[in-house]
Amino acid sequence: MNDLLNTALGYVTPVLEFALAWIIDPANWVQFALLVGAYVAAVFITRKFNPRITKLLTPAQESTTILSQTRRFILIFLPLLLPLLAFGLTAVGEQVTRSIFGSGEVIAFGKRVFLFLAARAFVRDMLSDPLLKMVGKVVLVPLAAVYALGFLDPVLAWLETTVVPLGNMSFSVLGLLRFLVVATIMFWLGRWSNDQSSALIEKQEMRPATRQLAAKATEIAIFGAAFLVAMNIAGVPLTSLAVLTGALGVGIGFGLQKIASNFVSGVILLLEGQATVGDYVELDGGETGTIVKMTARAAILETYDGKWIVVPNEDFIVTRVINYSDSGSANRYDVTFSVSYDTDINKIPDIVAPAVAALDFILNDPMPPDVELENFGDSGIDFIVEFWVNGIDDGRFKYRSHVRFAVWNALKEAGIEIPFPQRVVEIKGGFPKGLTE
């Protein structure tokens, strides 16, 4: 028992002596007082000036100018004001204590703590992107905590010497963390740049196909550059990608022919404008629909019964596809109807044509509604009315349905009968005797 007690005292005694020496050292108390004073001053300043800064930098809600966007961006950094201000005041106090007492370990520790608080506020309050926030919580905040405790150099040295084998290659844990941080930042910058460039391209006056091609080309260029920069910063030699590129070329040549063909076909469609978003098309198999989206591999057709049809881009190049028109072009349609043989057919054009022309969607240019005699049918005289509309009768607008209503109402008001099928049945030999009695 005595040996155990002596061993415990051997550990505790140096700690007590260090604590006693720290307590009786006036330099430590001065540093501690300066540290508390710096924090209190930072709290007082931020509470007094934060509302004024917020009011000064907050633009009108509807304003979208560059200056307004810059002011909103600066406001994002407002949560860092307190810890960074405390850090700056503490740094001044450290210079004072080192010049007077020749030491400043306590206040230096406090300065590192304020820097840790700044890193935590940055991750918690400023980062809104989920990926960046995750990397900040996993990497930035722990490293800031280790730095605040004064163990950053030994921890970095341990991470550098800890090697993770991966097949014939090996990476240090520090290298993997560096690659994770750099790749995340580059990916976020690439996505932000792509959003900005896409918004800029959307404002340009150009054909939808050209606009979409420009957006896709910009996206590929931005993320390709981000990938190369991330590889270079992480220390991965770009010459090693030559093997991967060669293997990818072989794969495209043998196993990815259709994908490559569809990609090239998509670029051709975007360049030539044969089919673009908003067009109403009929495929070689009879399916019809409006193109709602075009990707690198396929076009998405939406039918008017709610179904989506995925059509490979190659089909628009190598098969017969009817593109009825771009949005807003004029198209001609026709509706057939019949009247009784007792009708004065010379009056039909004057009755039907004005009724159809009165519909609000009927165009007079390039030609007003035209009523023509089509045929002498079995049950009546067949007519056809041709009309032009601005758009496509795809089942959603129901142009033909409205025209048929107008024809029916016009003929009814004129007292003209629309015949139903009539048949003459001849019974050879007469009726059986049982049926005649």
Side-chain angles (χ1 to χ4, degrees):
M1 182 63 68
N2 291 332
D3 293 338
L4 181 61
L5 182 61
N6 292 331
T7 302
L9 290 175
Y11 286 110
V12 173
T13 301
V15 175
L16 294 176
E17 292 177 353
F18 175 79
L20 182 62
W22 189 90
I23 292 174
I24 63 176
D25 189 353
N28 294 330
W29 285 103
V30 172
Q31 294 179 58
F32 184 76
L34 288 175
L35 187 62
V36 174
Y39 179 75
V40 172
V43 171
F44 174 77
I45 293 173
T46 52
R47 287 183 178 179
K48 190 174 184 61
F49 287 96
N50 264 359
R52 300 180 181 180
I53 296 174
T54 303
K55 183 178 180 180
L56 178 64
L57 293 178
T58 302
Q61 187 174 3
E62 65 277 2
S63 179
T64 58
T65 62
I66 297 178
L67 180 60
S68 299
Q69 294 178 359
T70 304
R71 292 165 66 184
R72 292 189 183 98
F73 179 74
I74 296 175
L75 279 175
I76 299 176
F77 293 87
L78 200 59
L80 297 182
L81 182 60
L82 173 61
L84 291 182
L85 184 59
F87 176 84
L89 295 176
T90 306
V92 175
E94 182 184 8
Q95 296 297 323
V96 173
T97 57
R98 290 190 183 276
S99 62
I100 296 176
F101 300 102
S103 63
E105 289 78 9
V106 175
I107 201 168
F109 171 74
K111 185 176 68 172
R112 295 195 299 269
V113 170
F114 290 139
L115 194 60
F116 163 74
L117 294 177
R120 191 183 67 170
F122 174 75
V123 174
R124 181 190 61 197
D125 301 327
M126 293 180 57
L127 296 181
S128 57
D129 185 83
L131 182 60
L132 290 178
K133 187 179 286 290
M134 183 271 294
V135 173
K137 290 181 179 179
V138 173
V139 179
L140 181 60
V141 173
L143 286 179
V146 171
Y147 172 74
L149 296 174
F151 299 137
L152 183 61
D153 291 338
V155 169
L156 291 180
W158 178 79
L159 293 175
E160 183 69 32
T161 56
T162 304
V163 178
V164 177
L166 186 61
N168 296 327
M169 299 180 294
S170 59
F171 302 92
S172 66
V173 176
L174 183 61
L176 291 177
L177 291 176
R178 186 186 301 116
F179 174 77
L180 175 63
V181 173
V182 171
T184 301
I185 294 175
M186 294 307 301
F187 178 78
W188 179 82
L189 286 175
R191 187 169 59 182
W192 179 82
S193 301
N194 182 60
D195 293 340
Q196 299 301 316
S197 60
S198 298
L200 181 62
I201 291 173
E202 286 295 329
K203 298 178 181 179
Q204 305 304 315
E205 294 183 1
M206 57 180 70
R207 292 190 304 113
T210 305
R211 186 183 296 114
Q212 192 170 8
L213 177 62
K216 288 294 182 183
T218 304
E219 181 180 2
I220 293 173
I222 288 175
F223 283 103
F227 173 77
L228 294 177
V229 172
M231 293 294 103
N232 192 21
I233 294 177
V236 178
L238 298 181
T239 55
S240 61
L241 298 178
V243 178
L244 177 62
T245 305
L248 183 61
V250 174
I252 291 176
F254 288 97
L256 304 178
Q257 294 180 8
K258 285 293 183 182
I259 296 178
S261 176
N262 286 321
F263 178 79
V264 174
S265 299
V267 174
I268 294 174
L269 288 174
L270 292 175
L271 285 174
E272 296 184 353
Q274 297 175 353
T276 186
V277 175
D279 286 357
Y280 185 79
V281 298
E282 179 180 349
L283 304 178
D284 197 26
E287 301 90 348
T288 59
T290 302
I291 300 177
V292 295
K293 184 178 181 181
M294 296 189 72
T295 65
R297 187 190 65 84
I300 308 299
L301 266 65
E302 182 180 8
T303 64
Y304 289 100
D305 55 359
K307 296 184 177 66
W308 276 25
I309 304 175
V310 180
V311 184
N313 291 328
E314 186 182 14
D315 289 358
F316 288 91
I317 304 297
V318 299
T319 62
R320 177 177 175 269
V321 178
I322 301 175
N323 190 341
Y324 281 93
S325 64
D326 293 333
S327 178
S329 63
N331 293 275
R332 191 187 72 173
Y333 296 97
D334 57 69
V335 167
T336 59
F337 63 94
S338 299
V339 297
S340 171
Y341 274 98
D342 297 332
T343 305
D344 184 359
I345 61 175
N346 297 302
K347 298 180 180 180
I348 298 299
D350 296 332
I351 295 173
V352 174
V356 175
L359 298 174
D360 56 359
F361 55 84
I362 299 296
L363 301 178
N364 289 324
D365 184 24
M367 186 176 180
D370 180 35
V371 179
E372 299 176 358
L373 178 60
E374 183 181 24
N375 191 23
F376 296 102
D378 295 336
S379 303
I381 303 174
D382 300 329
F383 283 87
I384 183 171
V385 55
E386 297 176 344
F387 57 92
W388 288 81
V389 295
N390 192 12
I392 299 170
D393 193 351
D394 47 27
R396 181 177 61 175
F397 301 107
K398 302 180 180 178
Y399 294 135
R400 291 187 180 92
S401 176
H402 291 301
V403 170
R404 290 188 178 100
F405 271 106
V407 171
W408 172 274
N409 293 329
L411 294 178
K412 284 296 183 181
E413 290 178 2
I416 297 175
E417 178 185 357
I418 298 178
F420 52 86
Q422 301 178 20
R423 296 291 182 268
V424 177
V425 179
E426 179 182 356
I427 302 176
K428 295 183 178 181
F431 287 97
K433 291 181 178 182
L435 296 177
T436 58
E437 294 180 354

